[in-house]
Amino acid sequence: IKTVSDHAIHLDLLAKARGITAAENYFVSLPEPSKNHLCYGALLNCYCKELMTEKSEGLMEKMKELSLPLSSMPYNSLMTLYTKVGQPEKIPSLIQEMKASNVMLDSYTYNVWMRALAAVNDISGVERVHDEMKRGGQVTGDWTTYSNLASIFVDAGLFDKAEVALKELEKRNAFKDLTAYQFLITLYGRTGNLYEVYRVWRSLRLAFPKTANISYLNMIQVLVNLKDLPGAEKCFREWECGCPTYDIRVANVLIRAYVKLDMLEKAEELKERARRRGAKPNAKTLEIFMDYYLLKGDFKLAVDYLNEAISMGRGNGEKWVPSSRIISIMMRHFEQEKDVDGAEEFLEILKKSVESPGVEVFESLIRTYAAAGRISSAMQRRLKMENVEVSEGTQKLLEAISVE
């Protein structure tokens, strides 16, 4: 026999495995006595995860109508939803409601509340909330509270306050949590304090002698952002000497740094070295070079890299799809050059990664034909097959280039 909490767990698993409708149907099928606050809470959490605002709010109202015992959980779910859909202004009234109903605020609640105030640039409000949390005494701020606070101060450019919060974070990282170290390094990096970055890095290395690839990746990225290229290279060499598996993602950070500084030879060299160590370039690597050649105006090489990235995919059977920004830069180039053949070849490559290139691409293609004075007897038919409707202006061009 399923206990009441089993139903809630089952509902959550159903939503993950078979989608929200399956979870709803299961909830509806439950006998009334089994529909307790845990089941309602589980369904609410599913709605919130799927960003279904109306359903979430409706269910919360229903829970109140039924006078179900409410903990901080459903409120936290709803607040996280408001954060994600960009409605942080709705959060303070939920907090007031919790207080009025004597629902205990937990550390998660305080963190979401602080982020909501930060989102509307109310930094003094953030500090007030943090003081209230400390005064209340029921919730002890763990390291996540201080990393949250530090990142809020960093975003606001208040580096001194951020560093005070980071010192508190460090004090509370008693259990030597790797994520806490990564936060410290990233946030000290964002305050521009290279000395602290290296100091925390040494602590991390002591706490984790077998330092993970992800930690190196993070550190090298921070050093690159702080324009400490010699430091980044030294850190990379240290990783290279000791890594059991060569991770192309770590190499990509340095490759990108070289490319940004126009040190193309070094970037090519590192890509080759990674390949020799068994780490083939991935789509990200190729994208870095593609961006470089686009910037330099070498469209032929850029298209070659794009083609290679599409052919390779992201791995695990996932396709790599170029961003709409890249596609429009390429199409604009062919249009300016009146290069119909180049545009058509590019379209063929695109079709390997996207179902349909979309209306903007076809409108650009038609403008390219028109600019080059080329006609196309098949263009109308192609648009029908792709189910693309062009604008009035493009329609006129289309008629002009379709004349037999």
Side-chain angles (χ1 to χ4, degrees):
I1 296 170
K2 278 193 171 152
T3 66
V4 174
S5 63
D6 286 343
H7 287 303
I9 292 164
H10 187 73
L11 196 145
D12 187 50
L13 291 173
L14 257 182
K16 283 189 183 114
R18 311 230 318 267
I20 196 81
T21 314
E24 283 180 318
N25 293 340
Y26 177 73
F27 181 80
V28 171
S29 72
L30 285 174
E32 283 307 315
S34 298
K35 291 181 187 170
N36 71 339
H37 66 290
L38 295 172
C39 281
Y40 271 98
L43 184 59
L44 176 71
N45 194 34
C46 294
Y47 283 153
C48 290
K49 273 190 185 145
E50 294 295 321
L51 309 183
M52 301 164 95
T53 310
E54 277 181 31
K55 283 197 164 182
S56 301
E57 291 173 338
L59 195 64
M60 186 69 160
E61 284 311 309
K62 180 93 199 248
M63 289 165 80
K64 288 181 217 157
E65 272 166 37
L66 294 170
S67 307
L68 294 172
L70 294 180
S71 67
S72 61
M73 294 274 282
Y75 285 103
N76 288 347
S77 295
L78 214 48
M79 286 188 243
T80 307
L81 163 72
Y82 290 145
T83 306
K84 284 185 182 153
V85 297
Q87 297 179 331
E89 66 285 349
K90 286 187 170 179
I91 289 173
S93 62
L94 275 183
I95 301 276
Q96 293 330 113
E97 196 182 297
M98 285 176 81
K99 289 180 174 176
S101 314
N102 289 324
V103 177
M104 265 277 289
L105 279 64
D106 57 21
S107 91
Y108 189 87
T109 320
Y110 278 112
N111 281 335
V112 176
W113 186 11
M114 287 191 271
R115 278 202 300 276
L117 292 169
V120 293
N121 291 325
D122 181 4
I123 302 300
S124 59
V126 172
E127 294 180 292
R128 270 201 313 281
V129 171
H130 183 234
D131 287 341
E132 178 188 312
M133 181 181 131
K134 285 196 299 197
R135 260 201 328 276
Q138 284 127 324
V139 178
T140 51
D142 57 0
W143 70 260
T144 55
T145 305
Y146 287 97
S147 81
N148 187 28
L149 207 52
S151 72
I152 288 170
F153 288 142
V154 168
D155 288 339
L158 301 166
F159 294 163
D160 293 348
K161 289 188 171 180
E163 295 211 357
V164 173
L166 288 171
K167 288 281 177 257
E168 287 295 332
L169 191 170
E170 234 174 314
K171 267 189 219 157
R172 282 166 172 74
N173 186 19
F175 299 113
K176 306 273 184 243
D177 188 303
L178 180 61
T179 321
Y181 281 117
Q182 316 241 95
F183 269 118
L184 280 164
I185 287 171
T186 305
L187 290 166
Y188 272 127
R190 289 182 59 206
T191 66
N193 194 329
L194 197 57
Y195 172 79
E196 292 291 341
V197 168
Y198 277 114
R199 184 184 61 73
V200 176
W201 175 244
R202 283 193 297 276
S203 306
L204 183 153
R205 295 292 315 279
L206 282 171
F208 297 90
K210 277 197 170 71
T211 309
N213 284 350
I214 187 80
S215 301
Y216 273 105
L217 189 150
N218 185 42
M219 178 64 175
I220 294 164
Q221 184 66 68
V222 168
L223 294 175
V224 163
N225 293 347
L226 287 171
K227 306 205 176 0
D228 177 11
L229 191 63
E233 290 176 316
K234 181 170 178 271
C235 192
F236 183 80
R237 282 194 300 274
E238 189 183 286
W239 167 76
E240 225 178 11
C241 290
C243 66
T245 54
Y246 205 99
D247 187 335
I248 190 67
R249 292 172 309 170
V250 183
N252 280 346
V253 178
L254 207 50
I255 290 173
R256 184 187 294 280
Y258 286 145
V259 162
K260 264 208 170 120
L261 293 165
D262 237 336
M263 302 160 81
L264 195 65
E265 241 173 79
K266 277 197 147 183
E268 293 279 9
E269 212 175 274
L270 182 51
K271 182 178 78 157
E272 185 50 36
R273 196 159 86 225
R275 203 183 54 73
R276 282 201 305 273
R277 293 281 301 266
K280 287 206 295 283
N282 62 6
K284 200 69 179 158
T285 324
L286 300 168
E287 205 177 339
I288 293 168
F289 285 99
M290 178 193 73
D291 280 339
Y292 173 80
Y293 287 115
L294 266 186
L295 208 63
K296 292 286 174 219
D298 188 334
F299 282 83
K300 189 184 170 331
L301 271 174
V303 171
D304 286 349
Y305 273 109
L306 178 123
N307 188 13
E308 209 184 323
I310 286 176
S311 307
M312 179 180 291
R314 287 194 182 286
N316 337 323
E318 259 191 86
K319 285 180 180 168
W320 176 81
V321 182
S323 69
S324 51
R325 181 186 71 88
I326 296 292
I327 294 173
S328 67
I329 291 174
M330 299 252 185
M331 287 306 290
R332 203 161 52 239
H333 164 74
F334 295 124
E335 209 178 305
Q336 281 162 353
E337 297 295 315
K338 305 179 184 172
D339 181 359
V340 171
D341 298 337
E344 288 286 15
E345 272 169 41
F346 179 61
L347 231 70
E348 282 309 304
I349 293 170
L350 265 191
K351 281 186 179 158
K352 291 190 268 181
S353 84
V354 293
E355 292 298 317
S356 166
V359 64
E360 285 89 357
V361 171
F362 277 107
E363 292 196 332
S364 175
L365 183 65
I366 291 164
R367 289 195 298 271
T368 309
Y369 267 89
R374 293 265 293 266
I375 56 173
S376 161
S377 52
M379 191 65 80
Q380 305 255 25
R381 201 164 57 247
R382 278 169 77 183
L383 294 181
K384 271 208 181 70
M385 279 172 67
E386 294 282 353
N387 205 1
V388 165
E389 285 200 22
V390 294
S391 68
E392 267 178 56
T394 312
Q395 189 60 42
K396 288 201 177 79
L397 284 179
L398 177 60
E399 282 155 19
I401 68 164
S402 300
V403 179
E404 290 298 315

